[in-house]
Amino acid sequence: MRVDLRAVLALVLTLGAPAISHANGTGLGAPVPLGQATLRFLGFEVYTATLHTEGADQFDWDRPLSLRLDYARGFSAEDLLQGTRKELQRIEGKRSDQPQMLKKLATCFRAVGDGDHYVAVSTTPDTVEMRLNGARTCRVSHPDLRKRFLGIWLSPNSRSARLSAQLRGE
């Protein structure tokens, strides 16, 4: 089985989410840090992810979340989008609304390099706002977007269950 290493890395980085307009950089009014984890691939650091939730010290899909990715490697916007597509299909199979959701998410991604950070903030189950280095790139609405998109990093079925558990504070 042939593995496209660049696509795997991109999917893992996909979320590289932005920091919303709140002064604390998380996009949440009362952020509580839950976990932090560094993704390494073949020994090289890819990114460090940090998860915050709104006012609670336990992970809960029903609470607002903020996921920050601090990149140590560069990826194109297309790499990030294709990584997102592949991970969504791997986690949830092909769903009829995936093309529509991916078209919306495509507006979010920009090329990233060493030192860049994305923050993805979801204050409702159906919305995600993303910021790259503090500048908003998008606000996307789609049914169950929080769980589906952020599940790439936070789901027990994510590519790295260990990293996901660390982020969720487990």
Side-chain angles (χ1 to χ4, degrees), residues 94-109:
K94 289 190 177 186
R95 291 179 49 173
S96 62
D97 68 336
Q98 273 180 1
Q100 179 187 19
M101 186 172 76
L102 287 165
K103 185 176 180 178
K104 293 174 184 179
L105 288 170
T107 66
C108 302
F109 299 119

Side-chain angles (χ1 to χ4, degrees), residues 111-123:
V112 296
D114 183 10
D116 286 333
H117 67 272
Y118 252 113
V119 176
V121 177
S122 178
T123 56

Side-chain angles (χ1 to χ4, degrees), residues 138-152:
C138 70
R139 180 174 174 80
V140 174
S141 294
H142 194 85
D144 205 23
L145 185 62
R146 173 190 295 155
K147 193 168 189 177
R148 292 176 69 190
F149 179 57
L150 296 181
I152 291 171

